[in-house]
Amino acid sequence: MSKVMLVTGGSRGIGAAVAKLAARRGYAVGVNYRTHAGAADAVVADIQRQGGHAVAIQADVSQEDQVLQMFRTLDERLGRVDALVNNAGILEKQMRVDDMDADRLLRVLSTNVIGAFLCAREAVRRMSPRHGGQGGAIVNVSSAAARLGSPNEYVDYAASKGALDTLTIGLSKEVAPEGIRVNGVRPGTIYTDMHASGGEPGRVDRLKSVIPLRRGGSVEEVAGAVLWLFSDEAGYTSGSFIDVSGGT
Ligand code: NAD
């Protein structure tokens, strides 16, 4: 029986790369998407062409009822989850703090923190021996912004990723005795559509000169770090973070 991985926001960018690499490593993959069914189906088709097993599952991770339904669907279609990647995240337009309204902060926290919390909770409810599970692992996709603070751009986003890191630390200690490892990956500046949603499609290239490795990262380079955290080699690693940020 294949191990089961759920990747939130798996239809594109880092999530799609994680889903494809996980399938190549033998996982049956639940590819969560919020709105882009066609893109999620394309990821699933790609995995199936390579001989892997995947299903697309719609849910807005910020909505509790949708998260509950997503995990029920995963239970039915692939089985009990062994590995969760909390990858879904949003970034709003670059802005100074004086122009931000509270609704923006609530939107960002809803996906980046509440979404990750709800999915982690549902995963723990399946992985923990307290609920008949056999352990598992969770990786939260944070950001270098959690350490840098993103002044003049998105302090709200940076604060949400800081909260996600603290959730990672707390959860890792709480569930480690139950055989569940929880870690984080902090990407730096990666070539994906996210920078366009931040209002600046050319941002990665603009930042090259301040990135020590002098380039943006690829989604595959992030996916490699995520998959390592699920590997047997990472069996003694929990509550840790891998920075995939070109030395930033
Ligand atoms: P992306 O915008 O291409 O992908 C994000 C995915 O999350 C999309 O598929 C989107 O539909 C999905 N999503 C957003 N809100 C959702 C919700 N409420 N429910 C379900 N799905 C939702 O961006 P990406 O760069 O691939 O980002 C993936 C993760 O990596 C995010 O958490 C992001 O914060 C983080 N990250 C990215 C970078 C970067 O440079 N690209 C840097 C640091 C961290």
Side-chain angles (χ1 to χ4, degrees):
M1 277 287 279
S2 299
K3 284 193 167 183
V4 175
M5 178 183 287
L6 176 65
V7 183
T8 66
S11 68
R12 70 181 197 205
I14 292 168
V18 169
K20 290 177 190 177
L21 184 59
R24 288 205 294 281
R25 301 268 167 94
Y27 284 93
V29 186
V31 179
N32 159 254
Y33 67 97
R34 183 183 44 177
T35 43
H36 297 103
D41 288 343
V43 172
V44 168
D46 193 78
I47 288 171
Q48 287 169 343
R49 262 196 306 278
Q50 314 264 335
H53 190 28
V55 293
I57 310 177
Q58 195 280 329
D60 178 337
V61 297
S62 69
Q63 303 300 311
E64 185 168 19
D65 55 338
Q66 295 186 33
V67 171
L68 294 175
Q69 184 54 48
M70 170 170 68
F71 274 86
R72 281 196 292 266
T73 303
L74 191 74
D75 291 340
E76 286 161 16
R77 302 279 308 273
L78 297 181
R80 195 185 276 254
V81 68
D82 299 288
L84 166 68
V85 183
N86 271 319
N87 166 77
I90 60 168
L91 173 77
E92 301 221 345
K93 290 215 180 326
Q94 292 182 24
M95 200 177 277
R96 274 184 51 93
V97 66
D98 8 355
D99 295 322
M100 286 182 192
D101 57 30
D103 282 348
R104 167 178 162 133
L105 187 56
L106 287 173
R107 281 194 300 276
V108 169
L109 291 172
S110 293
T111 290
N112 298 5
V113 184
I114 295 176
F117 171 87
L118 291 171
C119 292
R121 187 192 67 191
E122 290 313 300
V124 167
R125 285 176 173 171
R126 286 158 176 81
M127 294 172 178
S128 171
R130 291 156 57 97
H131 302 280
Q134 298 184 318
I138 298 171
V139 172
N140 293 326
V141 180
S142 174
S143 171
R147 290 185 294 107
L148 301 173
S150 305
N152 302 307
E153 293 192 319
Y154 351 78
V155 291
D156 56 334
Y157 172 83
S160 76
K161 294 298 189 177
L164 181 61
D165 284 3
T166 307
L167 180 66
T168 302
I169 293 166
L171 264 183
S172 72
K173 292 178 177 168
E174 186 165 322
V175 298
E178 291 151 44
I180 305 169
R181 296 182 302 105
V182 187
N183 291 289
V185 168
R186 297 194 192 108
T189 309
I190 312 298
Y191 284 99
T192 69
D193 294 340
M194 177 159 272
H195 299 281
S197 64
E200 191 188 346
R203 183 166 183 269
V204 179
D205 289 322
R206 175 175 65 81
L207 290 175
K208 270 182 185 170
S209 64
V210 296
I211 297 168
L213 280 175
R214 296 288 186 269
R215 65 173 178 87
S218 70
V219 292
E220 289 78 15
E221 287 169 317
V222 181
V226 171
L227 264 294
W228 181 79
L229 286 166
F230 288 109
S231 71
D232 290 344
E233 288 86 349
Y236 199 53
T237 302
S238 197
S240 296
F241 298 89
I242 300 181
D243 290 282
V244 186
S245 57
T248 301

